[in-house]
Amino acid sequence: MPVIMGTAGHIDHGKTTLIKALTGIDCDRLSEEKKRGITIELGFAFLDLGAGSAGDDGRLGIVDVPGHEKFVKNMVAGATGVDFVMLVIAADEGIMPQTREHLEICQLLGVTTGLVALTKADMVDADWLEMVRDEVTSWLEPTFLGGAPVVLVSSHTGQGLDDLKDALRTLIADFTPRRRSDLFRLPVDRVFTMKGHGTVVTGTMISGSISVGEEIRLYPGDTRSKVRGLQSHGVTVETAQAGRRTAVNLHGLEVDGIRRGDVLARPGTLFPSAVWDIELTVLESSRRPLKHRKEVHFHHGSREVLARVYLIDRDELKPGETAVCQVRFTEPLAGVYGDRIVLRSFSPLRAFAGGRVVGPSGHKVKRFSPKAEALRALADDAPEAVAAAQLELAGPQGVGWSELLTMTNLESKALEKTLGVLGGQQKAILFDREARRYAGGQLVQELSDGLLDWLAAFHRKDSMKPGVQRGELASSWGRDVPQKLFHFIVERLLKKGDMVAEQELLRLKDHSVSLASDQEAVRTALLAAYGGGGVTPPNLKDVLEPLGLTARQVAPVLKLLQDQGELVRVKDDMYYHGPALNGIREAIVGFFETRQEMSAPDFKDLTGLSRKYLIPVLEHFDKEKLTVRVGDVRHIRKRS
C-alpha cells in the first residue's frame, strides 16, 4: 500500500533543502518562498526507494510543510493524511519552539511513528553534534518518537543521505499504513489552472480510489464535475489509489469556484453537518484549561474554520485530560469517523488541543443528559460499539448505509459484517430495506413499548371500542416517527402477537369489549328489534321508548354494534341490521349482471322498499361507492 511521509520542524532547519537533496525536487515553488528562503505553502515530492520498499512502485510520497509560526495552519493541512513523520532538527540550533509545536501537532493528528534527521551536521564539531543528539534523544523519549532512529545528515555535503534512505527503507518494511476505508476522499490543498488542461486540484488521497471519467462532488457544497485526468506522483494514470499525492483535472470548473479545504468525493457519499462529536485532548503543555463554549480555530484536513466547543459532561477540560465533546460551526463541514483535528487558540495563536472526529453527523445534545452519556461510547475502538452508538444517537430517523460508512470509517465488507453481528444481537434494526436504513435496537424496543402503552391507554379510555384504525394510530402516536419505521414496528408487534389486526382495526392481544349486564340487555334488544325488522327496520326512538332509554344513553352500545358490523347507520337515526343490508347489496349486484342502469322504480321493484327507505338506501350505496348516480339512474361502479 502507498505510504506518505510528512516533514516537521522549525523554520530554516533545512527541511526543503534535505528533500531536494534526497529527491532532486525543489518544493519551494513560489517566488516569495525562494526570495525569503522559507516554505510558506505545502510542497510535494517523492523518493524512489526501490521496488517493494514503499507501495508497489517503490515511491515514497513526501509532504513538505512550512515551519514558520505564521504558517503552522498549513503545517496542519500537510500533516493530515501522512503515515509517518520525519522530524527535522538543525544541529547548530537544536530544539526550537516550532520543533515542539510541530511534534505536538503530529501527536494530535494521530501520527504514531517516524524518525529524526539531524541536519547541518557539517556546520558543527563532533562534540557539539553528540551533545545535540543526546539532547534530542532525551527530549523525544516520552513521545511517540521515543527510540526512533536519529540520522546525522548534511544536504550540502551529502553526509548521511544514504543512511537516511536505509533508515526509511527499514521503517517502511515494518510499517503498516493506517487502515483506510474504500470511501474515496481527497481534501483539496492546492487549486490552479494548467494551460491546455484547465482547473487542477491537488491533495493527499485519504482513502478509496478514483478513475478518469467518474463524476465527483466538491463538499461541503454541491458543485459537481467529472474527472478529466489524473496524475499520481507526477505520472499520468487512469486510476489513482489512496495514500498518494494526487492531481485531479476537473471538467468545466473555474478556479474561483473551488476553495482550499473543499473535499473531493463521489456524490451521495459525504454528509456535511454543522455539529460534530469529537474526542478531544488538551495538551499537557497548554497553559490553561479549555472552557465550555470557547471559540477556537478549528483545523480539519486542509480547512480552517471558526468553531465553538461545547463540553457536554463538565465545565472545563484541563491540560492532559480527554473527553468527548461537541463542536459547532457556522457552516457545515464534511468529515468521516476517525478524522484527526487540531484546535488553536486566539491568543496566543498556538495549537493547544486536538483529537479525532467520532460523530461527523452530530445532533445537538443537552449537557449532562442521558444522551451525553451515550456520546462516550463513540470513542470505543470496537466497530460494533461505535456503530451501535451511532444508531442510538441518530434517533427515530435512523441512519442510511452510506451515512454509516462515514460514521464508522469501515470498509463496505467490514460494515456488512458489523451490522450482521449487531442485527443478531438486536442492536441494529433494518427497518427500510429499499432505502437500506437502520435504527438502534434499544430505540426500536422503546418505541415498541411506547406504542403498546399508547394502545393500553386507548383501550382504558374507550373500552367499548374494539380497536383503533391504522391511520388514526399513525397520526396520533406515530406522527414523529418516519412512516417506514412506524409500519415496521406495527408489523413486528403483530408478528410477535403483542398486537392483533382485525381488518383495519388494531388492538392489544388481550383486549376485548365487555358490556355490563344492563348494556348487554340493551345490545340484545337492539339486535332483536333490527334483526326482526329486515329490510324495513324500525325507528330508533320506537325501539328505545319501551326500554325507557335515550339515544345518548345507548350511544356506546350503538357504536360498538357499528364497529362490529352488526348495525349500519344509513341516515340520521335510521339503522339497518348488517345481514339485511348485505342482502340488499347482493340483490343490486345481481341486478347489474344483466342490466346497465337502475332507476328508482327498478330498485323499488327489486326490494319492495317504500320511499321512506328507498332513497336513503340508494344514497348509502352511492357513498359506499357501490353505485354512482347519473341523472335519474344508477350505474354500478367499475372496480379498478
Side-chain angles (χ1 to χ4, degrees), residues 137-412:
T137 301
S138 177
W139 172 62
L140 291 175
E141 188 58 39
T143 73
F144 70 90
L145 287 180
V150 179
V151 184
L152 310 180
V153 296
S154 169
S155 302
H156 295 288
T157 67
Q159 174 189 344
L161 292 182
D162 288 338
D163 293 337
L164 183 56
K165 290 180 181 179
D166 288 340
L168 288 171
R169 290 189 185 95
T170 301
L171 188 152
I172 292 169
D174 299 328
F175 180 74
T176 302
R178 299 188 211 183
R179 173 182 58 83
R180 296 185 172 101
S181 73
D182 45 12
L183 174 70
F184 162 63
R185 277 196 303 159
L186 187 145
V188 175
D189 50 39
R190 287 174 61 199
V191 186
F192 55 90
T193 300
M194 183 177 291
K195 189 174 182 180
H197 293 81
T199 299
V200 176
V201 300
T202 67
T204 300
M205 196 182 300
I206 297 175
S207 59
S209 63
I210 192 71
S211 299
V212 174
E214 287 198 61
E215 185 180 0
I216 58 91
R217 173 178 164 182
L218 282 160
Y219 292 87
D222 194 24
T223 301
R224 303 188 184 218
S225 180
K226 283 191 175 182
V227 178
R228 290 180 59 182
L230 291 166
Q231 279 197 358
S232 183
H233 290 175
V235 178
T236 299
V237 295
E238 285 296 311
T239 299
Q241 302 289 339
R244 294 186 182 277
R245 288 295 307 173
T246 305
V248 185
N249 183 197
L250 298 175
H251 175 74
L253 295 185
E254 298 296 328
V255 170
D256 293 343
I258 305 172
R259 294 188 297 170
R260 178 195 180 106
D262 285 345
V263 179
L264 280 188
R266 291 183 178 87
T269 59
L270 294 181
F271 304 89
S273 173
V275 180
W276 282 6
D277 306 315
I278 60 173
E279 184 186 35
L280 189 66
T281 299
V282 176
L283 291 171
E284 290 186 2
S285 62
S286 179
R287 300 176 186 176
R288 56 181 67 94
L290 170 67
K291 300 287 187 179
H292 172 61
R293 298 190 81 253
K294 181 178 177 64
E295 192 172 26
V296 297
H297 291 278
F298 185 90
H299 295 269
H300 169 255
S302 50
R303 173 150 290 177
E304 176 192 7
V305 298
L306 295 181
R308 197 174 292 277
V309 181
Y310 288 77
L311 300 176
I312 304 301
D313 60 355
R314 64 194 74 197
D315 294 320
E316 65 177 22
L317 192 61
K318 297 176 182 178
E321 290 185 339
T322 299
V324 175
C325 57
Q326 288 195 325
V327 287
R328 300 176 189 174
F329 316 111
T330 56
E331 61 182 44
L333 292 186
V336 170
Y337 182 92
D339 284 356
R340 308 301 299 203
I341 59 96
V342 171
L343 306 187
R344 299 180 78 211
S345 58
F346 282 86
S347 180
L349 187 58
R350 71 181 302 274
F352 73 94
R356 61 180 179 139
V357 179
V358 294
S361 299
H363 305 275
K364 291 182 180 179
V365 171
K366 189 175 181 180
R367 300 181 74 208
F368 306 106
S369 67
K371 276 202 170 184
E373 292 290 326
L375 282 179
R376 295 176 182 172
L378 296 178
D380 199 302
D381 289 331
E384 290 85 359
V386 172
Q390 299 284 22
L391 290 172
E392 293 298 340
L393 285 166
Q397 298 303 317
V399 185
W401 169 261
S402 296
E403 293 170 274
L404 275 171
L405 287 172
T406 70
M407 296 167 77
T408 60
N409 199 23
L410 293 174
E411 292 183 344
S412 299

Side-chain angles (χ1 to χ4, degrees), residues 256-568:
D256 293 343
I258 305 172
R259 294 188 297 170
R260 178 195 180 106
D262 285 345
V263 179
L264 280 188
R266 291 183 178 87
T269 59
L270 294 181
F271 304 89
S273 173
V275 180
W276 282 6
D277 306 315
I278 60 173
E279 184 186 35
L280 189 66
T281 299
V282 176
L283 291 171
E284 290 186 2
S285 62
S286 179
R287 300 176 186 176
R288 56 181 67 94
L290 170 67
K291 300 287 187 179
H292 172 61
R293 298 190 81 253
K294 181 178 177 64
E295 192 172 26
V296 297
H297 291 278
F298 185 90
H299 295 269
H300 169 255
S302 50
R303 173 150 290 177
E304 176 192 7
V305 298
L306 295 181
R308 197 174 292 277
V309 181
Y310 288 77
L311 300 176
I312 304 301
D313 60 355
R314 64 194 74 197
D315 294 320
E316 65 177 22
L317 192 61
K318 297 176 182 178
E321 290 185 339
T322 299
V324 175
C325 57
Q326 288 195 325
V327 287
R328 300 176 189 174
F329 316 111
T330 56
E331 61 182 44
L333 292 186
V336 170
Y337 182 92
D339 284 356
R340 308 301 299 203
I341 59 96
V342 171
L343 306 187
R344 299 180 78 211
S345 58
F346 282 86
S347 180
L349 187 58
R350 71 181 302 274
F352 73 94
R356 61 180 179 139
V357 179
V358 294
S361 299
H363 305 275
K364 291 182 180 179
V365 171
K366 189 175 181 180
R367 300 181 74 208
F368 306 106
S369 67
K371 276 202 170 184
E373 292 290 326
L375 282 179
R376 295 176 182 172
L378 296 178
D380 199 302
D381 289 331
E384 290 85 359
V386 172
Q390 299 284 22
L391 290 172
E392 293 298 340
L393 285 166
Q397 298 303 317
V399 185
W401 169 261
S402 296
E403 293 170 274
L404 275 171
L405 287 172
T406 70
M407 296 167 77
T408 60
N409 199 23
L410 293 174
E411 292 183 344
S412 299
K413 290 183 179 179
L415 181 57
E416 290 273 14
K417 182 179 179 181
T418 298
L419 290 173
V421 171
L422 292 177
Q425 299 170 348
Q426 292 298 297
K427 292 182 179 179
I429 308 297
L430 178 60
F431 69 88
D432 186 347
R433 292 186 178 277
E434 184 179 354
R436 211 174 181 185
R437 204 158 186 85
Y438 294 80
Q442 181 180 340
L443 174 72
V444 171
Q445 186 59 53
E446 290 173 356
L447 289 173
S448 299
D449 293 342
L451 176 53
L452 294 177
D453 289 343
W454 189 94
L455 265 180
F458 176 87
H459 290 324
R460 286 193 300 270
K461 182 180 179 181
D462 200 338
S463 60
M464 296 293 290
K465 290 185 176 180
V468 59
Q469 294 278 346
R470 279 180 183 258
E472 182 183 349
L473 183 61
S475 60
S476 298
W477 175 83
R479 61 182 179 275
D480 295 325
V481 179
Q483 187 179 32
K484 288 289 184 71
L485 181 56
F486 168 76
H487 289 302
F488 175 87
I489 291 173
V490 168
E491 294 305 318
R492 193 167 184 244
L493 291 173
L494 290 172
K495 188 175 181 180
K496 289 174 64 178
D498 293 329
M499 269 174 39
V500 175
E502 293 175 342
Q503 296 181 341
E504 280 299 304
L505 292 180
L506 299 171
R507 63 174 175 83
L508 292 178
K509 64 178 180 179
D510 55 357
H511 173 70
S512 60
V513 176
S514 58
L515 296 173
S517 58
D518 55 340
Q519 289 179 321
E520 184 62 46
V522 171
R523 179 180 185 276
T524 302
L526 289 172
L527 286 179
Y530 284 102
V535 296
T536 55
N539 185 280
L540 179 62
K541 184 178 179 180
D542 295 337
V543 175
L544 297 180
E545 199 170 78
L547 300 174
L549 298 173
T550 66
R552 185 172 182 179
Q553 289 174 315
V554 300
V557 180
L558 277 172
K559 182 65 170 64
L560 173 63
L561 291 172
Q562 289 178 81
D563 289 340
Q564 293 174 337
E566 297 276 7
L567 292 183
V568 179

Side-chain angles (χ1 to χ4, degrees), residues 45-167:
F46 55 86
L47 175 61
D48 193 346
L49 292 172
S53 297
D56 296 336
D57 59 4
R59 282 185 170 180
L60 172 67
I62 300 174
V63 180
D64 181 31
V65 298
H68 194 280
E69 186 275 333
K70 291 183 179 179
F71 308 123
V72 169
K73 66 178 183 180
N74 287 350
M75 187 269 167
V76 174
T80 300
V82 306
D83 294 300
F84 69 91
V85 66
M86 179 171 68
L87 182 64
V88 177
I89 303 175
D92 60 340
E93 290 190 332
I95 302 164
M96 297 294 284
Q98 270 69 59
T99 313
R100 299 178 186 276
E101 184 172 11
H102 278 212
L103 187 65
E104 287 182 333
I105 289 174
C106 288
Q107 178 183 326
L108 293 174
L109 290 170
V111 180
T112 59
T113 190
L115 76 171
V116 181
L118 205 57
T119 59
K120 304 184 182 182
D122 60 320
M123 298 178 64
V124 297
D125 59 35
D127 290 340
W128 180 270
L129 195 59
E130 192 61 32
M131 182 191 72
V132 173
R133 183 172 187 169
D134 290 343
E135 179 189 17
V136 170
T137 301
S138 177
W139 172 62
L140 291 175
E141 188 58 39
T143 73
F144 70 90
L145 287 180
V150 179
V151 184
L152 310 180
V153 296
S154 169
S155 302
H156 295 288
T157 67
Q159 174 189 344
L161 292 182
D162 288 338
D163 293 337
L164 183 56
K165 290 180 181 179
D166 288 340

Side-chain angles (χ1 to χ4, degrees), residues 595-615:
R595 304 279 292 274
Q596 296 294 317
E597 59 183 35
M598 181 175 66
S599 64
D602 291 334
F603 187 55
K604 181 178 181 180
D605 293 341
L606 181 67
T607 60
L609 294 178
S610 66
R611 187 171 182 82
K612 173 184 176 181
Y613 299 103
L614 188 146
I615 299 301

